[in-house]
Amino acid sequence: VLAKKWVLTMIATTVVVGSVVGALALRHQPAGRITEFSMPKPGSAPIMITGGPDGNLWFTEAAGRRIGRITLSGDITEFPLPTGIGPYGITAGPDGNLWFAEYDSNQIGRITPTGTVTEFAIPTPNSQPVWIVAGPDKNLWFTEANGNKIGRITLDGTINEFPIPTPASRPLVMAAGPDGNLWFVQNNSNQIGRMTPNGIFKEFPVPTFGSGLIGIGDGPDGNLWFTESDSNKMGRITPTGGITEFAVSGPTRGFEHQLAIGPDGNLWFIEYTADKIGRMTPTGTLTEFSVPTPNSIPSGIVAAPDGNLWFTERDGNKIGKITTGN
């Protein structure tokens, strides 16, 4: 009887140890391993992506006129927009909902985790809202590429707009900085803009002329990082405005709008013309990972609760997941 109990104990121990080892193997995968999930409908063009309050990932479908949701196991659900056209930037709001910019229909949208959509018209006609972020004041802030303004929308849908000092600067991506201000790239004027929540602007010229500023996001080092698509560089700006640029060797990568801080403490971003996901350390060391689907045009990227980065493939019509090695 004792021998039988000893054998059963050994079997149980082996199963537990095996489970732990298996779990560790799943969690500690090498960096750069990519898994892709196909969209349910063709031609959806998933474009930007964010983490939701429900633990899932939410994304915009630029051509599908829908908001999509994907679970960490890869199950996709789509929600059609009542009137919205060209949804682009998307973010989680402080109210537990998702908020997004409707570039072509001049509206800001809000969707609950259960899929109820409400849309709010922007006062300036044809303003072309691109990006939206949750601000330090518990409101949502967005850029107006054609309107040359920064907009603020309260949780009840009230909109105020703030004109940017430089005319026709074409603001694109915005980030809530570590200093409590809003930071954004000005594509036409080649400047990084900073705006306080009460509407005071400061603009910082980027040293490289015609750099093609596209994206900006918080970095792992307490600074803001931005992409220069035309000059093939990554830039870093301190909260006081000091700019450092890092050249990326080789052919132009076509950097995209979104940047994400990975659980490994590095900055992750998209190279859409090269079909690659890039990783840069705070000191400027670059590593690249190729997306399996050719001509997929990866577009948005975000860090997820599972310790991976998730990204969209606009032309590949897929959602991708890449491991960080953490």
Side-chain angles (χ1 to χ4, degrees), residues 59-92:
F59 56 91
T60 51
E61 299 181 27
R65 298 175 64 170
R66 293 180 291 264
I67 301 300
R69 179 185 67 205
I70 184 168
T71 67
L72 298 181
S73 59
D75 295 321
I76 296 174
T77 306
E78 298 170 291
F79 304 93
L81 301 180
T83 64
I85 303 172
Y88 206 84
I90 184 169
T91 192

Short mmCIF file of all heavy atoms in Angstrom, two decimals, residues 59-92:
data_model
loop_
_atom_site.label_atom_id
_atom_site.label_comp_id
_atom_site.label_asym_id
_atom_site.label_seq_id
_atom_site.Cartn_x
_atom_site.Cartn_y
_atom_site.Cartn_z
N PHE A 59 -9.89 47.55 -32.43
CA PHE A 59 -9.23 48.16 -33.59
C PHE A 59 -10.25 48.78 -34.54
O PHE A 59 -11.45 48.47 -34.50
CB PHE A 59 -8.38 47.12 -34.32
CG PHE A 59 -9.12 45.88 -34.74
CD1 PHE A 59 -9.71 45.80 -36.00
CD2 PHE A 59 -9.23 44.79 -33.88
CE1 PHE A 59 -10.40 44.66 -36.39
CE2 PHE A 59 -9.92 43.64 -34.27
CZ PHE A 59 -10.51 43.57 -35.52
N THR A 60 -9.76 49.69 -35.37
CA THR A 60 -10.61 50.34 -36.37
C THR A 60 -10.42 49.66 -37.72
O THR A 60 -9.33 49.19 -38.04
CB THR A 60 -10.26 51.83 -36.50
OG1 THR A 60 -8.84 51.97 -36.70
CG2 THR A 60 -10.67 52.60 -35.26
N GLU A 61 -11.49 49.61 -38.49
CA GLU A 61 -11.45 49.06 -39.85
C GLU A 61 -11.69 50.21 -40.83
O GLU A 61 -12.82 50.65 -41.02
CB GLU A 61 -12.49 47.97 -40.02
CG GLU A 61 -12.29 46.78 -39.09
CD GLU A 61 -13.34 45.69 -39.30
OE1 GLU A 61 -13.88 45.58 -40.42
OE2 GLU A 61 -13.62 44.96 -38.34
N ALA A 62 -10.62 50.70 -41.43
CA ALA A 62 -10.69 51.88 -42.27
C ALA A 62 -11.62 51.70 -43.46
O ALA A 62 -12.35 52.62 -43.85
CB ALA A 62 -9.30 52.27 -42.75
N ALA A 63 -11.61 50.53 -44.07
CA ALA A 63 -12.46 50.27 -45.23
C ALA A 63 -13.76 49.57 -44.84
O ALA A 63 -14.76 49.66 -45.55
CB ALA A 63 -11.71 49.44 -46.26
N GLY A 64 -13.75 48.85 -43.73
CA GLY A 64 -14.91 48.08 -43.32
C GLY A 64 -15.99 48.90 -42.65
O GLY A 64 -17.11 48.43 -42.45
N ARG A 65 -15.65 50.15 -42.23
CA ARG A 65 -16.61 51.01 -41.53
C ARG A 65 -17.14 50.31 -40.28
O ARG A 65 -18.31 50.34 -39.97
CB ARG A 65 -17.75 51.42 -42.46
CG ARG A 65 -17.28 52.22 -43.64
CD ARG A 65 -18.39 52.52 -44.64
NE ARG A 65 -19.44 53.35 -44.05
CZ ARG A 65 -20.41 53.91 -44.78
NH1 ARG A 65 -20.46 53.73 -46.09
NH2 ARG A 65 -21.33 54.65 -44.19
N ARG A 66 -16.20 49.65 -39.58
CA ARG A 66 -16.56 48.91 -38.39
C ARG A 66 -15.48 49.12 -37.32
O ARG A 66 -14.36 49.51 -37.61
CB ARG A 66 -16.68 47.41 -38.70
CG ARG A 66 -17.83 47.04 -39.61
CD ARG A 66 -17.86 45.53 -39.86
NE ARG A 66 -16.72 45.07 -40.67
CZ ARG A 66 -16.78 44.91 -41.99
NH1 ARG A 66 -17.89 45.16 -42.65
NH2 ARG A 66 -15.71 44.47 -42.65
N ILE A 67 -15.84 48.80 -36.08
CA ILE A 67 -14.90 48.69 -34.98
C ILE A 67 -14.80 47.20 -34.66
O ILE A 67 -15.82 46.51 -34.54
CB ILE A 67 -15.37 49.47 -33.74
CG1 ILE A 67 -15.55 50.95 -34.08
CG2 ILE A 67 -14.36 49.30 -32.60
CD1 ILE A 67 -14.30 51.66 -34.56
N GLY A 68 -13.58 46.71 -34.55
CA GLY A 68 -13.37 45.29 -34.29
C GLY A 68 -12.84 45.05 -32.88
O GLY A 68 -12.20 45.92 -32.28
N ARG A 69 -13.10 43.86 -32.39
CA ARG A 69 -12.59 43.42 -31.09
C ARG A 69 -11.99 42.03 -31.26
O ARG A 69 -12.59 41.17 -31.90
CB ARG A 69 -13.73 43.37 -30.06
CG ARG A 69 -13.30 42.91 -28.66
CD ARG A 69 -14.51 42.76 -27.75
NE ARG A 69 -15.38 41.66 -28.18
CZ ARG A 69 -16.69 41.58 -27.90
NH1 ARG A 69 -17.28 42.53 -27.22
NH2 ARG A 69 -17.38 40.54 -28.32
N ILE A 70 -10.79 41.83 -30.72
CA ILE A 70 -10.17 40.51 -30.78
C ILE A 70 -9.74 40.10 -29.38
O ILE A 70 -9.15 40.90 -28.64
CB ILE A 70 -8.97 40.48 -31.77
CG1 ILE A 70 -8.40 39.06 -31.88
CG2 ILE A 70 -7.90 41.49 -31.40
CD1 ILE A 70 -7.41 38.89 -33.03
N THR A 71 -10.07 38.88 -29.00
CA THR A 71 -9.66 38.37 -27.71
C THR A 71 -8.20 37.90 -27.78
O THR A 71 -7.64 37.76 -28.87
CB THR A 71 -10.55 37.18 -27.28
OG1 THR A 71 -10.30 36.08 -28.18
CG2 THR A 71 -12.02 37.55 -27.32
N LEU A 72 -7.62 37.62 -26.64
CA LEU A 72 -6.23 37.17 -26.61
C LEU A 72 -6.06 35.77 -27.18
O LEU A 72 -4.94 35.34 -27.46
CB LEU A 72 -5.69 37.22 -25.18
CG LEU A 72 -5.65 38.62 -24.53
CD1 LEU A 72 -5.09 38.55 -23.14
CD2 LEU A 72 -4.86 39.61 -25.39
N SER A 73 -7.18 35.08 -27.38
CA SER A 73 -7.13 33.77 -28.04
C SER A 73 -7.40 33.86 -29.54
O SER A 73 -7.38 32.86 -30.24
CB SER A 73 -8.14 32.81 -27.39
OG SER A 73 -9.45 33.33 -27.47
N GLY A 74 -7.67 35.10 -30.03
CA GLY A 74 -7.81 35.31 -31.47
C GLY A 74 -9.22 35.34 -32.01
O GLY A 74 -9.41 35.35 -33.23
N ASP A 75 -10.24 35.37 -31.15
CA ASP A 75 -11.63 35.44 -31.62
C ASP A 75 -11.99 36.89 -31.95
O ASP A 75 -11.83 37.78 -31.10
CB ASP A 75 -12.59 34.90 -30.55
CG ASP A 75 -12.36 33.42 -30.29
OD1 ASP A 75 -12.10 32.69 -31.26
OD2 ASP A 75 -12.43 33.00 -29.12
N ILE A 76 -12.51 37.11 -33.15
CA ILE A 76 -12.81 38.46 -33.62
C ILE A 76 -14.32 38.70 -33.70
O ILE A 76 -15.07 37.87 -34.21
CB ILE A 76 -12.17 38.71 -35.01
CG1 ILE A 76 -10.64 38.64 -34.91
CG2 ILE A 76 -12.60 40.07 -35.58
CD1 ILE A 76 -9.92 38.74 -36.24
N THR A 77 -14.75 39.86 -33.19
CA THR A 77 -16.13 40.32 -33.32
C THR A 77 -16.09 41.73 -33.93
O THR A 77 -15.21 42.52 -33.58
CB THR A 77 -16.82 40.38 -31.95
OG1 THR A 77 -16.70 39.11 -31.30
CG2 THR A 77 -18.30 40.73 -32.09
N GLU A 78 -17.04 42.03 -34.81
CA GLU A 78 -17.07 43.33 -35.46
C GLU A 78 -18.39 44.05 -35.19
O GLU A 78 -19.44 43.42 -35.13
CB GLU A 78 -16.87 43.16 -36.97
CG GLU A 78 -15.54 42.55 -37.34
CD GLU A 78 -15.47 42.15 -38.81
OE1 GLU A 78 -16.18 41.19 -39.18
OE2 GLU A 78 -14.75 42.81 -39.57
N PHE A 79 -18.30 45.39 -35.08
CA PHE A 79 -19.47 46.22 -34.80
C PHE A 79 -19.57 47.31 -35.87
O PHE A 79 -18.67 48.16 -35.97
CB PHE A 79 -19.34 46.85 -33.42
CG PHE A 79 -19.14 45.85 -32.30
CD1 PHE A 79 -17.85 45.50 -31.89
CD2 PHE A 79 -20.22 45.25 -31.69
CE1 PHE A 79 -17.66 44.57 -30.86
CE2 PHE A 79 -20.04 44.32 -30.66
CZ PHE A 79 -18.76 43.98 -30.25
N PRO A 80 -20.64 47.33 -36.67
CA PRO A 80 -20.79 48.35 -37.71
C PRO A 80 -21.07 49.73 -37.13
O PRO A 80 -21.68 49.85 -36.05
CB PRO A 80 -21.99 47.84 -38.53
CG PRO A 80 -22.74 46.97 -37.59
CD PRO A 80 -21.73 46.35 -36.67
N LEU A 81 -20.62 50.77 -37.83
CA LEU A 81 -20.86 52.14 -37.39
C LEU A 81 -22.17 52.66 -38.00
O LEU A 81 -22.47 52.38 -39.16
CB LEU A 81 -19.70 53.04 -37.82
CG LEU A 81 -18.31 52.66 -37.29
CD1 LEU A 81 -17.27 53.64 -37.81
CD2 LEU A 81 -18.30 52.61 -35.77
N PRO A 82 -22.96 53.43 -37.24
CA PRO A 82 -24.22 53.95 -37.76
C PRO A 82 -24.05 54.84 -38.99
O PRO A 82 -24.73 54.67 -39.99
CB PRO A 82 -24.79 54.75 -36.59
CG PRO A 82 -24.14 54.16 -35.37
CD PRO A 82 -22.76 53.76 -35.82
N THR A 83 -23.10 55.80 -38.92
CA THR A 83 -22.87 56.72 -40.05
C THR A 83 -21.39 56.91 -40.35
O THR A 83 -21.04 57.50 -41.36
CB THR A 83 -23.48 58.11 -39.75
OG1 THR A 83 -22.81 58.69 -38.62
CG2 THR A 83 -24.97 58.00 -39.44
N GLY A 84 -20.53 56.45 -39.45
CA GLY A 84 -19.11 56.74 -39.56
C GLY A 84 -18.43 56.15 -40.77
O GLY A 84 -18.73 55.03 -41.19
N ILE A 85 -17.49 56.92 -41.33
CA ILE A 85 -16.69 56.49 -42.47
C ILE A 85 -15.22 56.75 -42.14
O ILE A 85 -14.87 57.82 -41.64
CB ILE A 85 -17.07 57.24 -43.76
CG1 ILE A 85 -18.56 57.07 -44.07
CG2 ILE A 85 -16.24 56.76 -44.94
CD1 ILE A 85 -19.05 57.94 -45.20
N GLY A 86 -14.37 55.79 -42.45
CA GLY A 86 -12.93 55.97 -42.24
C GLY A 86 -12.52 56.09 -40.79
O GLY A 86 -11.77 57.01 -40.44
N PRO A 87 -12.95 55.18 -39.91
CA PRO A 87 -12.46 55.23 -38.53
C PRO A 87 -10.95 55.01 -38.51
O PRO A 87 -10.43 54.18 -39.24
CB PRO A 87 -13.21 54.10 -37.84
CG PRO A 87 -13.55 53.14 -38.95
CD PRO A 87 -13.79 53.99 -40.15
N TYR A 88 -10.25 55.77 -37.68
CA TYR A 88 -8.78 55.69 -37.68
C TYR A 88 -8.26 55.48 -36.26
O TYR A 88 -8.22 54.36 -35.77
CB TYR A 88 -8.20 56.94 -38.34
CG TYR A 88 -6.83 56.68 -38.93
CD1 TYR A 88 -6.70 56.14 -40.21
CD2 TYR A 88 -5.68 56.95 -38.21
CE1 TYR A 88 -5.45 55.88 -40.75
CE2 TYR A 88 -4.42 56.70 -38.75
CZ TYR A 88 -4.31 56.16 -40.02
OH TYR A 88 -3.07 55.90 -40.54
N GLY A 89 -7.82 56.55 -35.59
CA GLY A 89 -7.26 56.39 -34.25
C GLY A 89 -8.30 55.92 -33.25
O GLY A 89 -9.48 56.26 -33.35
N ILE A 90 -7.86 55.13 -32.26
CA ILE A 90 -8.77 54.59 -31.24
C ILE A 90 -8.03 54.51 -29.91
O ILE A 90 -6.82 54.25 -29.88
CB ILE A 90 -9.32 53.22 -31.67
CG1 ILE A 90 -10.35 52.68 -30.67
CG2 ILE A 90 -8.19 52.21 -31.87
CD1 ILE A 90 -11.12 51.46 -31.18
N THR A 91 -8.75 54.74 -28.81
CA THR A 91 -8.14 54.69 -27.49
C THR A 91 -9.17 54.30 -26.45
O THR A 91 -10.38 54.45 -26.67
CB THR A 91 -7.52 56.06 -27.12
OG1 THR A 91 -6.69 55.93 -25.97
CG2 THR A 91 -8.59 57.10 -26.83
N ALA A 92 -8.71 53.82 -25.32
CA ALA A 92 -9.59 53.53 -24.19
C ALA A 92 -9.82 54.81 -23.41
O ALA A 92 -8.88 55.56 -23.12
CB ALA A 92 -8.98 52.46 -23.29
#
